[in-house]
Amino acid sequence: PAAELEPISLAILALIKTSQGEHGLRHGDYDRYRAYCARRARRLRKNTGFLQGTKTKFVKRVLRPHECTDERFLLILLMNAERAWSHAMHLKRAAADEARPRHHMLHRLAKASQWASDLLRIAQTRCDERTRLEAEAYAAWMSANHSLERESWAPALRSFLRARAIYEQLGRVSLLGDQVACREMVSEIEPIVRYCRYQLQASGGADEEGAAAQDDELSITELLKDDSHAIASELLQSKLEPILAQLQARQAQNLDQVIFRGHALPVTNEKLRVSFLRAQDILEKIKSGATEEGAASDGQVHRRRARLDTAVLELYEQLLVEDNEAIDVTRADIKAAARPSDGRGGKAADPAQLALLLRYLQLRKMRHTVTRHQVMLSEMRQRVGGAASAGGEGGRATTADDVARVYSVVLQILAEAGGLLDAPEDAPDLEAIEMCTLAAKAQRCFYLALSRMAATKWAHARALLDRASEYAAEGEELGKNMSTPSADFTEDVSRDRDSLAKLEQEVEGARCRLRASALLERLRSQQAPGLASGVDQLSLLAQSSAVARDSPFVLDDTGSFVCSALPAGASAADLTLVPFPPPLEAVPCKPQLFDVARNAVRLPDLTPHKKPERSASSIFGRMASGFFGR
């Protein structure tokens, strides 16, 4: 009987998170995860013998509680549910707008919910208390996903609330690793709960359990700003975008004018209004990112700051896209206003106001471009001469020439912006642009000087540093006497004043380094020929005439602490180390023998000791006897 079997324990949530992270879902590859779940379910069926028929015939088998003897049977149901769910997510990402793939996706989500219900049915009988709770939360999660895609808001909300409540309770009684997994699930469920409540409130419905409570109602904009990187957010993305567009369209109706040069320019184009709203949202994100970066600069590492700079640059790219779109829309309105009217349309827009609006948009784009380059320069200045950035493996280091090149681009943009300010009321803004130009020129000269110092071109570097000081002094003088610019340029002027104040100290430090480097190079150039030409003048003898030649040498008195070789009244430079050239001494040479008595010596007679010589007859006799066979 099933009651006599030991209860089974299975960490469902931990197993799912591990499998998803190791088999594709870390990179959003649902198809790879589906293939993994299918392979594992097949292996589990073979290992447990729970096969559905033979190779040629399919016989469906339903798992019953008394047949479930270990956790492998539960894993079969779990892998089948995960396989159906990952297949549905793959179909949703591939072709969510087409009717047939969407119908297939809903069918797979229904199948995943059915497999999760089967897992809960077995767990209620065969598993321990924690596994039953995890199985119930998992089944509620799958059922809620299916209801969410079918846009059944009340059932989806009830299931999500049930899953969230279980995971919150499990997180309180779990170990550290399981607590993190439970918190992640709660954070994934929270934005979907808010979305369901929003839909219930928008449709006029209410949940039986008070799901549409006033305290938990959040706007769609807040839902999209949710920084959760959960997989569940993909279920919301396609549904939140059209609702956000509707909200922006309603807000755009209140944006009817912009102020430029003291004139209220009407904004009548709906696309232009929506573009303005999107640009305002991006600017808010940039400000929040800059605030976070400033808070992190004191206690966080440089890598976090570089990551925030990269995110801000990406936001500026989006902002420039919105600026270009607004300019294109305004140019299209100017062309439409220039065409003759047939009298059937509404009131035509004023071409003069449209021209001012276009100029305002162009100035705004240039200002955003300059600010983007300033953010880029703040990151590049910290890496001048260092290693390549962490984000670009294999890249090169940032040089001073790179920074100067970006400043050249900034100067070009500022020159174009100054050409657009031609009205008398633009004088304060022109002064602000002139100050920004002087600050950019000063910075460019400074980094060009650093580049020339690296190339050991000291004269060029000194002239560039002097020019940077002149530009900085002119900028500071202009900043003291200039009029108050418009609100658009106030932040730029304040930033450039601070940069000029810091630049003076940097220029002074660069001048000190320049003098020291130039002096060292001159000393090196003078030292090398001096050594070569002075070798033949070296002497081991004392050069002072006050010291006698017969004075003792230091080599003769190495055993005493006070050298006696130094005469009274002489300095240490007059010491004689060794005698040079060394004195001659008598050295015994190798004796040589000269043979001059050879002719007078009588040698002994050695004839008796010599062997007698054989005669020729005896030799021929022996040969003849041998021939005739003796």
Side-chain angles (χ1 to χ4, degrees):
E4 297 178 0
L5 298 176
E6 291 291 333
I8 302 173
S9 179
L10 180 65
I12 297 176
L13 181 58
L15 180 64
I16 290 173
K17 290 297 182 182
T18 303
S19 300
Q20 290 178 353
E22 294 178 353
H23 297 90
L25 258 64
R26 181 179 297 178
H27 311 290
D29 193 350
Y30 291 100
D31 194 47
R32 176 186 166 191
Y33 182 59
R34 178 181 68 88
Y36 161 74
C37 294
R39 292 194 303 269
R40 188 170 186 184
R42 189 181 303 112
R43 291 195 302 266
L44 289 169
R45 287 186 181 277
K46 288 183 178 180
N47 292 336
T48 57
F50 193 75
L51 301 175
Q52 304 195 83
T54 60
K55 293 182 179 180
T56 58
K57 185 178 180 181
F58 174 77
V59 179
K60 183 178 180 180
R61 293 182 60 181
V62 179
L63 184 61
R64 306 185 185 280
H66 66 274
E67 296 175 340
C68 186
T69 57
D70 54 36
E71 66 275 4
R72 292 179 298 174
F73 293 92
L74 298 177
L75 284 175
I76 294 175
L77 302 176
L78 183 61
M79 289 297 107
N80 286 330
E82 286 290 294
R83 179 185 63 178
W85 171 80
S86 58
H87 192 189
M89 293 297 101
H90 175 70
L91 292 172
K92 180 179 178 63
R93 175 174 291 184
D97 297 335
E98 301 179 12
R100 188 60 192 172
R102 175 171 173 77
H103 177 73
H104 192 188
M105 177 196 67
L106 293 175
H107 177 72
R108 297 308 297 167
L109 281 177
K111 198 67 176 178
S113 179
Q114 181 181 349
W115 283 114
S117 299
D118 293 342
L119 177 63
L120 176 60
R121 175 177 55 83
I122 299 297
Q124 293 290 354
T125 308
R126 288 291 296 112
C127 298
D128 57 7
E129 185 64 30
R130 181 181 179 84
T131 306
R132 287 200 294 268
L133 286 174
E134 289 198 36
E136 184 179 357
Y138 183 72
W141 164 261
M142 282 298 179
S143 176
N145 288 335
H146 183 222
S147 301
L148 180 67
E149 285 300 320
R150 294 180 62 89
E151 298 184 358
S152 300
W153 310 118
L157 182 58
R158 282 195 295 268
S159 299
F160 278 127
L161 289 174
R162 180 60 180 165
R164 185 181 68 176
I166 294 176
Y167 283 126
E168 286 177 348
Q169 296 299 325
L170 287 175
R172 295 190 180 98
V173 295
S174 302
L175 298 178
L176 181 59
D178 295 334
Q179 287 180 7
V180 173
C182 291
R183 292 195 196 101
E184 289 179 356
M185 287 300 298
V186 171
S187 64
E188 291 176 13
I189 294 172
E190 188 62 35
I192 310 178
V193 169
R194 299 201 298 267
Y195 174 73
C196 293
R197 286 173 173 168
Y198 171 83
Q199 288 292 351
L200 282 175
Q201 183 185 13
S203 60
D207 186 69
E208 298 136 358
E209 299 179 4
Q214 184 68 23
D215 296 338
D216 293 328
E217 292 174 356
L218 293 178
S219 65
I220 296 300
T221 304
E222 292 174 341
L223 287 176
L224 282 177
K225 289 182 180 179
D226 190 275
D227 57 353
S228 175
H229 299 284
I231 299 171
S233 61
E234 297 190 8
L235 295 172
L236 287 173
Q237 194 65 29
S238 60
K239 300 179 181 299
L240 292 177
E241 292 295 342
I243 298 176
L244 178 63
Q246 295 175 5
L247 290 177
Q248 289 180 343
R250 288 199 297 266
Q251 294 174 1
Q253 297 177 0
N254 300 326
L255 184 62
D256 55 354
Q257 63 182 10
V258 294
I259 306 299
F260 179 59
R261 292 178 176 175
H263 302 286
L265 304 178
V267 181
T268 57
N269 194 306
E270 194 70 24
K271 293 182 180 179
L272 187 57
R273 291 176 177 176
V274 175
S275 179
F276 276 146
L277 286 175
R278 287 199 294 260
Q280 289 177 3
D281 293 339
I282 296 173
L283 286 174
E284 290 295 331
K285 293 180 181 179
I286 290 174
K287 290 180 180 179
S288 62
T291 304
E292 183 179 356
E293 179 181 1
S297 61
D298 294 330
Q300 301 295 332
V301 294
H302 175 69
R303 183 177 298 176
R304 175 175 174 80
R305 186 185 307 168
R307 187 166 59 250
L308 289 172
D309 288 340
T310 304
V312 171
L313 288 176
E314 292 177 356
L315 290 174
Y316 270 110
E317 292 291 342
Q318 300 176 14
L319 183 60
L320 292 178
V321 170
E322 296 297 334
D323 290 340
N324 290 328
E325 182 178 354
I327 291 174
D328 293 340
V329 170
T330 307
R331 283 175 176 168
D333 290 343
I334 292 176
K335 292 181 180 179
R339 289 194 295 265
S341 176
D342 54 2
R344 292 180 297 180
K347 183 179 179 181
D350 187 1
Q353 291 182 343
L354 289 177
L356 282 177
L357 182 60
L358 178 61
R359 184 158 295 191
Y360 165 77
L361 292 174
Q362 291 173 341
L363 283 172
R364 190 182 71 161
K365 177 190 173 182
M366 291 179 182
R367 191 171 62 254
H368 292 163
T369 306
V370 171
T371 309
R372 172 185 174 274
H373 281 82
Q374 292 292 345
V375 175
M376 186 189 308
L377 286 167
S378 65
E379 181 183 358
M380 294 177 66
R381 284 194 294 262
Q382 298 173 359
R383 296 189 285 111
V384 169
S389 59
E393 295 182 0
R396 64 182 184 88
T398 302
T399 62
D401 282 330
D402 297 333
V403 181
R405 195 174 299 113
V406 178
Y407 273 115
S408 299
V409 177
V410 172
L411 288 172
Q412 182 180 358
I413 298 172
L414 290 174
E416 295 176 1
L420 295 175
L421 298 175
D422 53 1
E425 58 267 20
D426 295 334
D429 292 344
L430 278 173
E431 291 181 350
I433 289 180
E434 185 179 356
M435 180 179 177
C436 296
T437 303
L438 290 173
K441 287 182 178 180
Q443 294 283 357
R444 180 175 176 272
C445 290
F446 172 71
Y447 282 99
L448 284 176
L450 294 184
S451 175
R452 301 305 182 269
M453 287 174 61
T456 65
K457 297 180 179 179
W458 312 119
H460 295 78
R462 186 179 299 107
L464 287 169
L465 288 176
D466 293 341
R467 183 62 60 86
S469 298
E470 293 176 4
Y471 282 139
E474 291 179 12
E476 290 184 350
E477 185 67 23
L478 180 61
K480 294 177 182 177
N481 302 325
M482 66 182 298
S483 305
T484 303
S486 62
D488 297 333
F489 292 96
T490 302
E491 184 177 355
D492 299 335
V493 170
S494 176
R495 181 189 62 237
D496 289 334
R497 282 175 178 170
D498 297 338
S499 66
L500 288 177
K502 295 179 182 178
L503 182 63
E504 290 183 355
Q505 301 177 359
E506 293 177 354
V507 169
E508 189 63 30
R511 281 175 175 164
C512 295
R513 294 194 302 270
L514 173 63
R515 296 192 193 100
S517 301
L519 178 61
L520 286 175
E521 185 180 5
R522 186 167 62 253
L523 291 177
R524 292 192 192 100
S525 62
Q526 294 174 357
Q527 186 177 11
L531 287 175
S533 61
V535 171
D536 55 350
Q537 301 177 1
L538 292 178
S539 175
L540 296 177
L541 296 177
Q543 300 298 322
S544 176
S545 59
V547 183
R549 290 296 183 125
D550 55 352
S551 60
F553 301 102
V554 177
L555 186 63
D556 299 334
D557 196 16
T558 58
S560 62
F561 181 77
V562 179
C563 182
S564 60
L566 184 65
S571 63
D574 297 325
L575 281 175
T576 304
L577 300 180
V578 293
F580 190 84
L584 297 177
E585 293 183 3
V587 179
C589 298
K590 181 179 180 180
Q592 296 181 2
L593 178 63
F594 297 97
D595 193 3
V596 295
R598 177 181 178 81
N599 296 331
V601 175
R602 295 186 61 181
L603 298 178
D605 187 10
L606 299 178
T607 304
H609 301 285
K610 192 176 181 180
K611 291 183 179 181
E613 296 182 356
R614 295 179 183 180
S615 62
S617 58
S618 63
I619 294 174
F620 285 113
R622 281 196 306 273
M623 293 175 59
S625 61
F627 179 76
F628 290 105
R630 177 180 44 170

Coordinates of all heavy atoms in Angstrom, one line a residue, residues 23 25 29-43 79 82-84 86-87 90:
H23 N 21.2 25.0 -18.8 CA 20.9 24.4 -20.1 C 20.1 25.4 -20.9 O 19.1 25.1 -21.5 CB 20.0 23.1 -19.9 CG 20.8 22.0 -19.2 ND1 20.8 21.9 -17.8 CD2 21.6 21.0 -19.7 CE1 21.5 20.8 -17.5 NE2 22.0 20.3 -18.6
L25 N 18.6 28.7 -20.5 CA 17.8 29.8 -20.1 C 18.5 31.0 -19.6 O 18.0 32.1 -19.5 CB 16.7 29.4 -19.1 CG 15.3 29.1 -19.7 CD1 15.4 28.0 -20.7 CD2 14.3 28.8 -18.6
D29 N 17.6 30.7 -24.3 CA 17.5 29.7 -25.3 C 16.5 28.7 -24.8 O 16.9 27.7 -24.2 CB 18.8 29.1 -25.6 CG 18.8 28.2 -26.9 OD1 17.7 28.0 -27.4 OD2 19.9 27.8 -27.3
Y30 N 15.2 28.9 -25.1 CA 14.2 28.0 -24.6 C 14.2 26.7 -25.4 O 13.9 25.6 -24.8 CB 12.8 28.7 -24.8 CG 12.6 29.8 -23.8 CD1 12.7 31.1 -24.2 CD2 12.2 29.6 -22.5 CE1 12.5 32.2 -23.4 CE2 12.0 30.6 -21.6 CZ 12.2 31.9 -22.1 OH 12.0 33.0 -21.2
D31 N 14.5 26.7 -26.6 CA 14.6 25.5 -27.4 C 15.6 24.5 -26.9 O 15.4 23.3 -26.9 CB 14.8 25.8 -28.9 CG 14.5 24.7 -29.8 OD1 13.4 24.0 -29.6 OD2 15.3 24.3 -30.7
R32 N 16.7 25.0 -26.5 CA 17.8 24.1 -25.9 C 17.3 23.5 -24.6 O 17.5 22.3 -24.4 CB 19.1 24.9 -25.7 CG 20.2 24.2 -25.0 CD 21.3 25.1 -24.7 NE 22.3 24.5 -23.8 CZ 23.3 25.1 -23.2 NH1 23.4 26.4 -23.4 NH2 24.1 24.5 -22.4
Y33 N 16.6 24.3 -23.8 CA 16.1 23.8 -22.5 C 15.0 22.7 -22.8 O 15.0 21.7 -22.1 CB 15.6 24.9 -21.7 CG 15.1 24.5 -20.3 CD1 16.0 23.9 -19.4 CD2 13.8 24.8 -19.9 CE1 15.5 23.5 -18.2 CE2 13.3 24.4 -18.7 CZ 14.2 23.7 -17.8 OH 13.8 23.3 -16.6
R34 N 14.2 23.0 -23.8 CA 13.2 22.0 -24.1 C 13.8 20.6 -24.5 O 13.3 19.6 -24.1 CB 12.3 22.5 -25.2 CG 11.2 21.5 -25.7 CD 10.4 22.1 -26.8 NE 11.1 22.3 -28.0 CZ 11.3 21.3 -28.9 NH1 10.7 20.2 -28.7 NH2 12.0 21.5 -30.0
A35 N 14.8 20.7 -25.3 CA 15.5 19.4 -25.8 C 16.1 18.7 -24.6 O 16.1 17.5 -24.5 CB 16.6 19.8 -26.8
Y36 N 16.7 19.5 -23.6 CA 17.3 18.9 -22.4 C 16.2 18.2 -21.6 O 16.4 17.0 -21.2 CB 18.0 19.9 -21.6 CG 18.2 19.5 -20.2 CD1 19.2 18.6 -19.8 CD2 17.4 20.0 -19.1 CE1 19.4 18.2 -18.5 CE2 17.6 19.7 -17.8 CZ 18.6 18.7 -17.5 OH 18.8 18.3 -16.2
C37 N 15.1 18.8 -21.4 CA 14.0 18.2 -20.6 C 13.5 16.9 -21.3 O 13.2 15.9 -20.6 CB 12.8 19.2 -20.4 SG 13.3 20.6 -19.4
A38 N 13.4 16.9 -22.6 CA 12.9 15.8 -23.3 C 13.9 14.6 -23.2 O 13.5 13.5 -22.9 CB 12.7 16.1 -24.8
R39 N 15.2 14.9 -23.3 CA 16.2 13.8 -23.1 C 16.2 13.3 -21.7 O 16.3 12.1 -21.5 CB 17.6 14.4 -23.5 CG 17.8 14.7 -24.9 CD 19.2 14.9 -25.3 NE 19.8 15.9 -24.4 CZ 19.9 17.2 -24.7 NH1 19.4 17.7 -25.9 NH2 20.5 18.1 -23.9
R40 N 16.1 14.1 -20.7 CA 16.1 13.7 -19.4 C 14.9 12.9 -19.0 O 14.9 11.8 -18.3 CB 16.3 14.8 -18.4 CG 16.5 14.4 -17.0 CD 16.9 15.5 -16.1 NE 17.2 15.0 -14.7 CZ 17.5 15.7 -13.7 NH1 17.6 17.0 -13.8 NH2 17.8 15.2 -12.5
A41 N 13.7 13.3 -19.5 CA 12.5 12.5 -19.3 C 12.6 11.1 -19.9 O 12.2 10.1 -19.3 CB 11.3 13.3 -19.8
R42 N 13.2 11.0 -21.1 CA 13.4 9.8 -21.8 C 14.3 8.9 -20.9 O 14.1 7.7 -20.8 CB 13.9 10.0 -23.2 CG 13.9 8.7 -24.0 CD 14.5 8.9 -25.4 NE 13.7 10.0 -26.1 CZ 14.2 11.2 -26.4 NH1 15.5 11.5 -26.0 NH2 13.5 12.1 -27.0
R43 N 15.4 9.4 -20.4 CA 16.3 8.6 -19.6 C 15.7 8.2 -18.3 O 15.9 7.0 -17.9 CB 17.6 9.5 -19.3 CG 18.5 9.8 -20.5 CD 19.8 10.2 -20.0 NE 19.7 11.4 -19.2 CZ 19.8 12.7 -19.7 NH1 20.0 12.9 -21.0 NH2 19.8 13.7 -18.9
M79 N 9.9 17.1 -15.5 CA 10.5 17.4 -16.8 C 9.5 17.5 -17.9 O 9.7 18.3 -18.9 CB 11.5 16.2 -17.1 CG 12.7 16.2 -16.2 SD 13.8 17.7 -16.4 CE 13.4 18.6 -14.9
E82 N 8.2 21.1 -17.6 CA 9.1 22.0 -18.0 C 9.3 22.0 -19.5 O 9.5 23.0 -20.1 CB 10.5 21.8 -17.3 CG 10.5 22.2 -15.8 CD 10.5 23.7 -15.6 OE1 11.4 24.4 -16.0 OE2 9.4 24.2 -15.1
R83 N 9.2 20.8 -20.1 CA 9.4 20.7 -21.5 C 8.2 21.5 -22.3 O 8.4 22.2 -23.2 CB 9.4 19.3 -22.0 CG 9.6 19.1 -23.5 CD 9.5 17.6 -23.8 NE 8.2 17.0 -23.5 CZ 7.8 15.8 -23.7 NH1 8.6 15.0 -24.3 NH2 6.6 15.4 -23.4
A84 N 7.0 21.2 -21.8 CA 5.9 21.9 -22.4 C 5.9 23.4 -22.2 O 5.6 24.2 -23.1 CB 4.6 21.3 -21.9
S86 N 8.7 25.4 -21.7 CA 9.8 26.0 -22.5 C 9.4 26.0 -24.0 O 9.8 26.9 -24.7 CB 11.1 25.2 -22.3 OG 10.9 23.8 -22.6
H87 N 8.7 25.0 -24.4 CA 8.2 25.0 -25.8 C 7.2 26.1 -26.1 O 7.3 26.8 -27.1 CB 7.5 23.6 -26.2 CG 7.3 23.5 -27.6 ND1 6.6 22.4 -28.2 CD2 7.7 24.2 -28.7 CE1 6.6 22.5 -29.5 NE2 7.3 23.6 -29.8
H90 N 9.2 29.3 -26.3 CA 9.9 29.4 -27.6 C 9.0 29.8 -28.7 O 9.3 30.7 -29.5 CB 10.5 28.0 -27.9 CG 11.1 28.0 -29.3 ND1 12.3 28.6 -29.6 CD2 10.8 27.3 -30.4 CE1 12.6 28.4 -30.8 NE2 11.7 27.6 -31.4

